[in-house]
Amino acid sequence: MGKNNKNQKHRNCIVVCCFIVTIILQALFYIHEVDAVENTVIIVQSQQIPAYNEAIKGFEEECKRKNISIKAIYDLKGDAEEGKRIVKNIKDSEIKPKLFLVVGVLAAAIVKEQFDDIPVIFCMVINHERFNLQGANVTGISTEASVEDQFAILKGLLGTYKNVGVIYDPGKTGKIVSEAVAASKIFEFNLIKSEVTSETEVALALKNIINKIDALWMIPDSTVITKKSLDIISKTALEYHLPIFCTSDAIIKAGALVSVSPDYRYIGLQAAQIAQTLLSNPTITSLGIKRPDKLKLTLNTQTAELIGVNLSPIRSYPNVILYP
Amino acid sequence: MISIRTRLIFYMSMLVIIVGAVSCVFFLIYSKKQQEESLKKLGGSLVMLLAQDNEVKDALSYSQRAFLDTPIHVVNELDIEKEIGYLRVATNQSILVEERAPWIDIDMEEIPICKDSGITNVPVSSQIWARGGVRVVELHPNSNISVTNRKVDCVGGFFYDFTVSVIGKQTFSEEEFAAQILGEAKVSDKTIQENLGFVQIGLSTYKLNERVKKIIWRIIIPMGLIIIFGGMGITLFLTKYFVSPLRHIANITLDIAKGDLTRTIDICSEDEIGQLSKNFNQMTTELKISHDEKEKILAQLRQHVEELTKTNKQLSEAQERLVRSEKLAVVGKLASGIGHELRNPLGAIRNALFVIKKKTAGINTLNDIQKLDQLIEIVEKETERSVKIVNDLLGFSRTTKPTVSPTSVRAVIESSFLRLKMPERIEKVIQLEDNLPLVSVDTTQIEMVFMNLIQNAFDAMPTGGQVTINAKRENGFLVITFSDTGCGIPDNIKDKIFDPLFTTKSKGMGLGLAISSNIIQRHEGFIDLKSKEGEGASFIVKLPIANV
């Protein structure tokens, strides 16, 4: 009799435990669902390149600290058609993210086109002004340092009253050059402009101004900076002991002297902070275009030696990286 | 009547022929389509090979024909079957190369050129050919470059025309530029592309048609024949397999219908035919039992009928004998009375005549004597005759039981002839078997019978003829036949011939055959007559053989 009662008690205990476990699991699932709906962020990157990955890495680290959940990272692999399909699938899915981080111009253009009701933060878009990325739900982080910041470093290196040459395609970077013209007066530079419309004109344009300038300022213009033209520019500049000032580490590796560029990881971190702001204030959907908070200065000591330029005036600047 | 087997073979053969023909047509269409597809693939591959060749791109970029020699040579080498009919490479402004195969008589002016051959990723159904032709666009599976494929009909024959734009790279995409600016050397596939010109290749359908013909002769026709004959063979086999048992059953049924109820069907399968055979055998068995019972009953009936017929005949004979016996008895009694009454007066008359004859011996008057002698002679003759008649009557009435002893028939026959006067024109023939058995008879009575029969034969042949007597053994009797060549006995008196007092002679009492028949019956023998009017008569006497 006593044994039967004991078994009955065991069975009751098991039933109660199962019931409790079921309720807990359902509660967890519900909480998870709520959390997913409330705080999910989707990252879309144009392609797999280290700079993009570094920015994403910075974003992820900061999101962890700020309890922002990253639902997924999509890679468009540089393919517009593929990218459209992926973004369309995201759009068609039932659970929508609260915010998009888009890395690269392709991702930015496609996501902005598909979503106008979800905040979008773009970064790592070179010359973002060219791509009409403004929007009520779009916040961006520029990939270039401001012309003023660049000229300040240039002035520190070269001093004042110097002739600075720039080759550009007016259709692509005319606006930057216009800003630079205004800024050059402030920094007492004489900006000598040379316009090109195709890659083949670059060599001739350089030849035309090379004897008139003390430094060549290379802005991120896709007509001017190509594999072929970069090679020509680098060789010519070395030949004429002309320092090249630019905004890309890659061009430093090709032979430029100084570059002012953002810290890509920090751009991600900065994007996470913006995301936190947007997520915590649903009424705010855009914070406009932000400049990168942290810049780095890359110096090519090898080129400096070759062309006989003393880098000591700017070597003491913060975030200096020496190459090689 | 057309048999099931013939109809089955006919219908199945028709079906097989239809199936074979449809299979051949289907295979022909499929093979032709496959050949066309492979030709299209070849054309697409060759044209894409040219279009993607860097030397071709350089040639088109700089309008240098010299760069095209090597790639065109490579393409021609790859065209193992020599199916390229013509080839054209052109920039957007001018044609760099136009070649045609030497074995094709074609004017390159006839081959249409696409005005807008360089457009990619754009629907081209609305594009117009400069010199005619219908254009079909297919997206090459390995590229986003469209390959146009069309059929060109001109003097030199039919051609599959393949045209593809040659695309050159103009500049980096923004993403590639970004990758370069941001420090990554990887080059993206996404590029902005420029149309440099087009490559056009025409593949002749001549070799394709040759291959299709080969397929028809080497594969399709043999396949069709194999299907048709194989199918017909299988049909024959199956028909034989299924119909033979039915035919076997039909043959056995025919035998059974003819009355052979012993036939059975020895099919032991478990299918419907097997079941039919079992049922049929069962039915045949039951039919046989019924038939046997019926035969048994019929045999019994037949036996009864035979017995009845025999009994009836015996009865008729007995009745006839009885009537004859009664007649004989009556005649016998009458004869006995008449004979007895007439014998004594006739004896007295004879005696008186003898005395008269003695007493008149002394009379000398010659005339009286002669006259008296004649009268006496007449009276004596008639008296003798009357005595004989009376003796016959008495002999008939007093027929005694025969005293039988083994006797030789030959002796009795010869004795009978000796006692009779043989007429001159009658020939006697006696044909007796050797070693004839003795008969158990009363010699005197049988001799009287034989004499009577021989005398009757003599009487039947007044103008001469032949009397034949033969004897032979038969079933315990000795059969003696007395035949003459006389006028025969009419059918209407045959039945009365053995009756007493029936005669056809002018001088006779009609007792001879009656007495003979009576004697033979007393000897447990038989006497019978066979005669036809005008062909003589035969009396057959059967006497029992003596048990010696």
Side-chain angles (χ1 to χ4, degrees):
Chain A
M1 193 71 179
K3 199 174 179 181
N4 285 340
N5 283 336
K6 204 173 178 181
N7 288 337
Q8 184 66 34
K9 280 181 183 177
H10 278 147
R11 275 199 291 272
N12 289 339
C13 284
I14 289 166
V15 170
V16 170
C17 287
C18 289
F19 184 71
I20 291 167
V21 167
T22 308
I23 289 174
I24 290 168
L25 287 173
Q26 282 187 334
L28 285 173
F29 181 74
Y30 178 74
I31 289 164
H32 179 261
E33 285 289 310
V34 169
D35 184 53
V37 170
E38 290 297 321
N39 292 307
T40 50
V41 173
I42 284 180
I43 300 171
V44 183
Q45 63 180 117
S46 296
Q47 57 180 320
Q48 286 282 348
I49 60 174
Y52 290 173
N53 293 340
E54 206 172 328
I56 290 167
K57 195 176 173 187
F59 182 80
E60 286 177 316
E61 287 172 0
E62 190 63 15
C63 282
K64 274 184 188 172
R65 284 196 286 274
K66 295 183 182 303
N67 291 325
I68 297 171
S69 170
I70 296 168
K71 185 186 173 188
I73 301 173
Y74 292 99
D75 179 8
L76 306 189
K77 297 179 179 175
D79 189 322
E81 297 301 323
E82 179 82 8
K84 282 178 186 171
R85 272 201 298 278
I86 291 169
V87 175
K88 184 83 173 30
N89 286 341
I90 297 169
K91 192 177 184 182
D92 293 341
S93 68
E94 289 180 1
I95 300 169
K96 299 279 189 302
K98 199 69 180 174
L99 186 138
F100 278 105
L101 173 71
V102 291
V103 184
V105 64
L106 182 64
I110 294 172
V111 172
K112 179 189 172 284
E113 184 185 325
Q114 292 290 331
F115 294 93
D116 56 3
D117 55 345
I118 297 173
V120 177
I121 301 170
F122 74 80
C123 63
M124 307 302 286
V125 178
I126 297 164
N127 287 343
H128 63 84
E129 288 166 346
R130 283 183 58 215
F131 302 110
N132 188 29
L133 293 176
Q134 287 77 23
N137 63 327
V138 179
T139 304
I141 302 170
S142 168
T143 311
E144 292 85 30
S146 66
V147 176
E148 289 80 6
D149 286 343
Q150 292 180 59
F151 279 5
I153 292 166
L154 188 60
K155 188 178 179 181
L157 180 65
L158 299 176
T160 54
Y161 307 111
K162 295 290 182 185
N163 294 321
V164 176
V166 62
I167 302 169
Y168 71 105
D169 183 347
K172 291 180 179 174
T173 50
K175 195 176 177 184
I176 296 173
V177 174
S178 299
E179 285 177 20
V181 170
S184 64
K185 290 172 185 172
I186 297 168
F187 288 91
E188 298 175 320
F189 288 140
N190 179 29
L191 194 64
I192 297 170
K193 300 178 287 183
S194 180
E195 293 182 2
V196 293
T197 54
S198 72
E199 178 194 19
T200 53
E201 298 170 10
V202 173
L204 183 62
L206 179 59
K207 199 175 178 184
N208 290 338
I209 63 171
I210 196 158
N211 292 319
K212 304 173 189 172
I213 57 176
D214 300 308
L216 179 66
W217 180 42
M218 288 187 71
I219 56 177
D221 188 311
S222 57
T223 305
V224 179
I225 302 173
T226 66
K227 283 182 178 177
K228 195 174 175 183
S229 63
L230 197 57
D231 191 42
I232 294 167
I233 291 168
S234 300
K235 286 177 180 172
T236 310
L238 276 176
E239 189 182 342
Y240 287 88
H241 292 84
L242 185 70
I244 296 173
F245 189 82
C246 64
T247 57
S248 165
D249 292 350
I251 299 174
I252 291 291
K253 290 170 187 171
L257 181 67
V258 179
S259 84
V260 181
S261 60
D263 185 319
Y264 303 133
R265 184 174 159 277
Y266 202 84
I267 282 182
L269 193 145
Q270 191 180 346
Q273 288 169 351
I274 293 169
Q276 170 72 13
T277 307
L278 292 172
L279 291 171
S280 58
N281 298 288
T283 52
I284 303 170
T285 53
S286 172
L287 297 174
I289 308 300
K290 301 281 188 184
R291 288 288 174 190
D293 286 346
K294 188 177 178 182
L295 298 172
K296 61 181 180 183
L297 189 63
T298 309
L299 306 176
N300 190 333
T301 53
Q302 195 175 12
T303 303
E305 281 180 20
L306 287 171
I307 62 175
V309 174
N310 182 18
L311 294 173
S312 56
I314 56 172
R315 284 185 73 156
S316 58
Y317 280 28
N319 301 321
V320 172
I321 297 166
L322 298 177
Y323 179 83
Chain B
M1 186 187 70
I2 301 170
S3 67
I4 290 176
R5 189 180 176 190
T6 309
R7 274 185 286 175
L8 205 58
I9 289 171
F10 177 75
Y11 292 134
M12 286 299 288
S13 299
M14 291 301 291
L15 185 67
V16 165
I17 289 168
I18 290 167
V19 168
V22 169
S23 302
C24 289
V25 170
F26 173 77
F27 190 70
L28 174 64
I29 293 169
Y30 177 76
S31 300
K32 193 167 183 184
K33 200 172 175 185
Q34 217 174 23
Q35 290 293 326
E36 284 177 349
E37 286 300 319
S38 69
L39 192 71
K40 285 178 187 175
K41 277 182 188 172
L42 175 69
S45 302
L46 292 175
V47 83
M48 285 304 295
L49 184 70
L50 269 183
Q52 291 180 341
D53 191 279
N54 286 329
E55 289 190 59
V56 174
K57 288 179 182 176
D58 288 340
L60 292 175
S61 296
Y62 303 108
S63 296
Q64 288 295 324
R65 192 200 180 290
F67 295 156
L68 293 172
D69 292 342
T70 306
I72 287 174
H73 178 72
V74 170
V75 166
N76 283 328
E77 287 295 316
L78 289 173
D79 177 27
I80 297 164
E81 298 281 336
K82 300 298 173 199
E83 288 176 301
I84 294 177
Y86 58 84
L87 184 147
R88 178 184 279 148
V89 181
T91 65
N92 293 326
Q93 289 77 35
S94 61
I95 294 170
L96 294 184
V97 170
E98 261 189 356
E99 288 182 356
R100 66 173 174 81
W103 52 273
I104 287 178
D105 182 18
I106 186 173
D107 183 3
M108 288 303 285
E109 287 292 316
E110 288 183 53
I111 309 301
I113 300 168
C114 181
K115 273 182 179 176
D116 193 11
S117 59
I119 301 298
T120 60
N121 296 330
V122 173
V124 289
S125 57
S126 60
Q127 290 177 359
I128 301 164
W129 291 91
R131 290 195 288 266
V134 179
R135 188 178 190 209
V136 181
V137 176
E138 292 178 358
L139 201 62
H140 196 275
N142 298 324
S143 169
N144 59 354
I145 298 171
S146 57
V147 177
T148 61
N149 168 23
R150 66 207 161 111
K151 270 192 169 180
V152 176
D153 183 10
C154 57
V155 179
F158 284 98
F159 295 92
Y160 279 100
D161 188 275
F162 300 89
T163 305
V164 66
S165 301
V166 180
I167 305 300
K169 289 183 181 178
Q170 186 184 39
T171 182
F172 298 114
S173 72
E174 292 302 329
E175 273 303 329
E176 192 173 9
F177 176 68
Q180 184 164 344
I181 291 294
L182 297 173
E184 172 56 39
K186 180 188 171 188
V187 177
S188 168
D189 290 337
K190 191 72 184 173
T191 58
I192 293 173
Q193 295 167 329
E194 179 194 16
N195 181 18
L196 300 176
F198 68 90
V199 174
Q200 187 177 8
I201 289 178
L203 296 186
S204 169
T205 57
Y206 177 75
K207 291 284 173 70
L208 181 144
N209 292 334
E210 289 292 314
R211 283 199 295 274
V212 171
K213 276 181 193 171
K214 273 185 188 173
I215 288 170
I216 289 171
W217 284 107
R218 291 183 185 175
I219 298 174
I220 292 175
I221 289 177
M223 185 189 77
L225 291 175
I226 286 169
I227 289 173
I228 289 169
F229 287 112
M232 287 171 80
I234 291 168
T235 301
L236 282 172
F237 173 75
L238 287 178
T239 309
K240 193 177 177 185
Y241 179 76
F242 286 116
V243 176
S244 290
L246 290 174
R247 188 174 262 190
H248 182 57
I249 290 172
N251 289 336
I252 289 175
T253 311
L254 200 64
D255 290 346
I256 290 168
K258 285 176 182 171
D260 186 3
L261 294 173
T262 58
R263 295 297 303 271
T264 55
I265 301 165
D266 51 351
I267 296 170
C268 303
S269 61
E270 294 297 326
D271 53 11
E272 288 82 354
I273 291 173
Q275 190 63 41
L276 175 67
S277 306
K278 280 181 190 171
N279 295 343
F280 191 84
N281 287 341
Q282 193 177 350
M283 187 186 76
T284 309
T285 307
E286 287 174 4
L287 190 66
K288 190 172 183 305
I289 291 167
S290 301
H291 185 266
D292 289 348
E293 284 177 0
K294 190 189 89 178
E295 284 294 316
K296 204 172 172 183
I297 291 166
L298 277 175
Q300 285 174 350
L301 278 173
R302 214 172 282 128
Q303 193 179 354
H304 289 159
V305 168
E306 280 178 7
E307 284 174 1
L308 278 173
T309 309
K310 194 175 176 183
T311 307
N312 197 25
K313 192 178 175 184
Q314 286 174 348
L315 191 63
S316 297
E317 286 174 359
Q319 194 176 7
E320 197 177 327
R321 280 198 299 273
L322 186 62
V323 169
R324 191 179 290 171
S325 299
E326 283 177 357
K327 276 184 180 178
L328 287 173
V330 170
V331 172
K333 279 182 183 176
L334 180 64
S336 177
I338 293 170
H340 194 70
E341 289 299 322
L342 286 177
R343 193 176 180 179
N344 290 333
L346 287 173
I349 291 168
R350 194 166 60 179
N351 291 333
L353 282 172
F354 184 73
V355 173
I356 291 169
K357 204 174 178 180
K358 287 280 187 182
K359 295 284 184 185
T360 60
I363 300 172
N364 294 323
T365 309
L366 186 58
N367 286 336
D368 293 340
I369 292 169
Q370 285 180 341
K371 195 175 180 179
L372 189 62
D373 283 342
Q374 283 177 348
L375 289 171
I376 291 169
E377 193 73 26
I378 291 167
V379 171
E380 190 179 35
K381 193 177 178 181
E382 291 302 319
T383 302
E384 284 299 323
R385 191 178 164 209
S386 298
V387 169
K388 187 179 181 296
I389 291 167
V390 169
N391 286 338
D392 285 347
L393 285 171
L394 285 174
F396 176 75
S397 63
R398 288 178 187 169
T399 306
T400 56
K401 190 179 178 182
T403 306
V404 299
S405 60
T407 308
S408 167
V409 170
R410 183 185 293 272
V412 176
I413 291 169
E414 286 174 355
S415 168
S416 299
F417 272 107
L418 286 174
R419 295 180 63 155
L420 288 170
K421 186 183 177 184
M422 192 75 188
E424 289 179 356
R425 295 179 183 174
I426 290 175
E427 182 190 1
K428 75 169 180 181
V429 177
I430 299 171
Q431 296 171 335
L432 304 177
E433 287 182 0
D434 296 334
N435 301 322
L436 278 175
L438 299 177
V439 289
S440 180
V441 296
D442 184 327
T443 307
T444 307
Q445 289 184 6
I446 291 303
E447 191 181 66
M448 191 169 72
V449 172
F450 285 4
M451 282 171 64
N452 186 28
L453 293 175
I454 292 165
Q455 185 60 52
N456 282 343
F458 290 164
D459 293 341
M461 295 182 290
T463 58
Q466 181 179 301
V467 173
T468 306
I469 299 168
N470 58 43
K472 60 181 179 181
R473 179 200 288 260
E474 188 180 290
N475 296 331
F477 287 91
L478 195 68
V479 181
I480 308 112
T481 308
F482 297 85
S483 303
D484 62 61
T485 56
C487 56
I489 298 167
D491 289 340
N492 57 344
I493 61 167
K494 277 184 184 174
D495 293 340
K496 299 175 186 174
I497 202 77
F498 291 106
D499 288 349
L501 304 177
F502 178 81
T503 182
T504 57
K505 298 174 187 175
S506 56
K507 294 178 183 177
M509 285 290 290
L511 292 174
L513 285 174
I515 291 167
S516 299
S517 173
N518 196 17
I519 291 168
I520 295 299
Q521 279 182 21
R522 284 176 184 273
H523 279 82
E524 295 177 352
F526 300 95
I527 183 165
D528 202 0
L529 168 65
K530 280 186 179 177
S531 175
K532 205 170 181 182
E533 196 170 2
E535 294 181 5
S538 294
F539 285 89
I540 299 127
V541 177
K542 289 185 181 178
L543 293 172
I545 294 171
N547 295 320
V548 181

